[in-house]
Amino acid sequence: MNFHIMTLFPDMVIDAMHTSIIGRAEEKGIISVKAHNIRDYTLDKHKKVDDYPYGGGAGMLMQAQPIYDCYKAVRDEIINNARTTEDTYMRVIYVTPQGELFNQKKAVELSKEKNLVFLCGHYEGVDERVLEEIVTDHISIGDYVLTGGELPAMVIIDAVSRLVEGVLSNDESAGTESHSDGLLEYPQYSRPEEWNGRRVPEVLLSGHHANIEKWRMEQAVERTKSRRPDMYEKYLKNK
Ligand code: ADE
């Protein structure tokens, strides 16, 4: 799976994405993450990429031309590297607080794609015309406003890539964690059996697998009910 990030700050995303589990998956050739500097595509002789909004208002807008030319270069690269028609499929995601809220279900859906292209906005926004021309999905990572789209793009890439086959090892498997079945995960404990006067729940030391499973399920339900009543309501409905 290939991720392309169109940004004015390529260093910010590349350093972060080339470490840890994502970096390991890149080395194995399972995923690739590439940043494309929008500024490299401006036709302005001063390398300008922003301008004042028509009609007035605060701040500057990112202009359409450099973004569109950057997008065309990314699209050509995807097409040139494709071996089958399916390899040419791409979604262009504009990360914006005005988008659909990102969640685990969306992560699963996106993990089935071949190519995801992210547009990271800055300043006060982006000229609407280029959004109409290239964007297939508008996604927000939460109801708050960040200074740019780089962090949201990285959040989405991290959540999506760990669902791609082969990225996590068996021990790190994505099957039983929080949100995978509509419940938060049960509490976990490691050695020692007693720490700071707190003992590991007896059932986990019993070796009785059926009882352990039952206890974990009860804990997951209880935890979801108290910490995320909204998720618990949905869980009851879908049960
Ligand atoms: N850009 C700025 N804030 C954002 C958010 N909450 N989600 C996605 N993109 C953003």
Side-chain angles (χ1 to χ4, degrees), residues 95-97 139-142 144-146 148 152:
V95 277
T96 164
I139 300 183
S140 167
I141 61 160
Y144 42 82
V145 180
L146 300 165

Side-chain angles (χ1 to χ4, degrees), residues 31-215:
I31 63 167
S32 75
V33 186
K34 194 164 171 187
H36 303 264
N37 193 342
I38 294 169
R39 199 176 296 279
D40 291 345
Y41 296 88
T42 178
L43 298 176
D44 181 87
K45 60 177 182 293
H46 304 295
K47 292 264 165 205
K48 208 164 65 83
V49 289
D50 60 332
D51 211 329
Y52 295 101
Y54 280 116
M60 305 284 266
L61 285 187
M62 283 170 72
Q63 291 170 286
Q65 177 274 318
I67 294 174
Y68 189 58
D69 287 358
C70 180
Y71 158 78
K72 282 194 296 185
V74 172
R75 187 191 61 189
D76 290 349
E77 187 179 318
I78 290 172
I79 291 169
N80 291 336
N81 290 336
R83 276 171 294 170
T84 63
T85 337
E86 228 181 75
D87 291 345
T88 65
Y89 295 165
M90 64 179 118
R91 274 162 86 167
V92 180
I93 298 169
Y94 178 44
V95 277
T96 164
Q98 298 181 13
E100 175 189 356
L101 268 189
F102 186 63
N103 57 23
Q104 192 66 20
K105 184 163 164 248
K106 197 77 191 169
V108 171
E109 178 195 318
L110 294 177
S111 72
K112 306 202 164 100
E113 297 290 335
K114 289 269 180 190
N115 302 287
L116 294 180
V117 180
F118 290 86
L119 170 59
C120 304
H122 256 271
Y123 313 117
E124 294 307 308
V126 173
D127 189 312
E128 192 68 22
R129 292 167 296 182
V130 71
L131 300 177
E132 287 168 5
E133 195 75 24
I134 69 172
V135 170
T136 58
D137 298 77
H138 295 72
I139 300 183
S140 167
I141 61 160
D143 288 339
Y144 42 82
V145 180
L146 300 165
T147 54
E150 285 74 14
L151 287 170
M154 287 192 274
V155 165
I156 296 169
I157 292 171
D158 192 289
V160 169
S161 56
R162 61 191 291 289
L163 298 173
V164 173
E165 176 91 38
V167 169
L168 296 187
S169 64
N170 280 346
D171 317 348
E172 295 160 341
S173 145
T176 61
E177 66 205 1
S178 293
H179 295 280
S180 66
D181 54 4
L183 287 174
L184 298 179
E185 199 183 22
Y186 47 79
Q188 305 226 63
Y189 305 84
S190 184
R191 280 195 287 195
E193 276 181 29
E194 186 173 326
W195 175 80
N196 246 9
R198 296 165 185 273
R199 279 194 60 73
V200 172
E202 283 310 316
V203 61
L204 299 179
L205 308 173
S206 68
H208 193 301
H209 292 296
N211 284 354
I212 292 172
E213 276 313 298
K214 183 166 169 281
W215 181 85

